[in-house]
Amino acid sequence: MTSETIGTNAGIVWTALSTSGKLTVKELKKITKIKADKVLFSALGWLAKEGKLAFEEGDDDLFVWLA
């Protein structure tokens, strides 16, 4: 996986969150059609490092939204 691929997927994640608001990781995977956890979490890490995301742990879910 290249940094270009991670950046592209970060854009897909950002767009999904921009449109849908607060989502669980499971919902985010479904909307973005990113199947592999490592691909999704790489994109989330990219956006989190830039300070663009907020997170909240639920009982069984991790929620994410744009900060």
Side-chain angles (χ1 to χ4, degrees):
M1 183 171 9
T2 66
S3 61
E4 185 176 323
T5 302
I6 295 169
T8 299
N9 287 323
I12 293 168
V13 168
W14 188 92
T15 300
L17 293 171
S18 172
T19 303
S20 300
K22 188 176 186 178
L23 296 170
T24 66
V25 170
K26 184 177 179 178
E27 292 168 333
L28 189 56
K29 282 179 76 170
K30 184 176 181 178
I31 289 170
T32 60
K33 297 183 169 86
I34 296 175
K35 296 185 190 312
D37 283 345
K38 68 180 180 180
V39 174
L40 178 63
F41 285 111
S42 295
L44 289 174
W46 178 297
L47 292 168
K49 184 173 185 306
E50 293 182 347
K52 298 193 184 276
L53 298 181
F55 297 92
E56 179 183 301
E57 276 190 76
D59 290 336
D60 294 324
D61 292 312
L62 176 65
F63 293 89
V64 62
W65 64 95
L66 295 179

